Amino acid sequence: MADIADIASELMERRMESAMATCRLPDTMAANDECEECGSEIPAARRQAAPWATTCIECQGIREKKAGRYRHA
């Protein structure tokens, strides 16, 4: 019989595998070249650095500022 730690470990492993599988969809992500906020093209350098990005740098900055996660220099 599995104890609580084994069950928790298995659950976390499944969640991690699911999250990683979602990140490993290059065909889907490569096809999404447009920012979901403004519709402009996401630059190739941004897509290469952050293939999961769905917004351009400007729109992502606005999102972070609205969410209070923007750090002032």
Side-chain angles (χ1 to χ4, degrees), residues 42-61 64:
I42 298 174
R46 175 157 172 79
R47 283 187 278 124
Q48 184 177 6
W52 58 85
T54 59
T55 59
C56 64
I57 294 172
E58 292 81 17
C59 290
Q60 185 63 34
E64 290 178 7

Side-chain angles (χ1 to χ4, degrees), residues 13-61:
E13 185 175 338
R14 286 183 189 172
R15 287 185 180 174
M16 290 293 288
E17 287 174 358
S18 176
M20 291 177 73
T22 302
C23 290
R24 278 191 238 131
L25 300 174
D27 297 336
T28 304
M29 286 187 250
N32 188 11
D33 294 343
E34 294 182 358
C35 173
E36 65 182 28
E37 293 288 325
C38 68
S40 65
E41 183 178 350
I42 298 174
R46 175 157 172 79
R47 283 187 278 124
Q48 184 177 6
W52 58 85
T54 59
T55 59
C56 64
I57 294 172
E58 292 81 17
C59 290
Q60 185 63 34

Side-chain angles (χ1 to χ4, degrees), residues 10 12 31 50 66 73:
E10 184 176 332
M12 288 305 296
K66 286 180 181 178

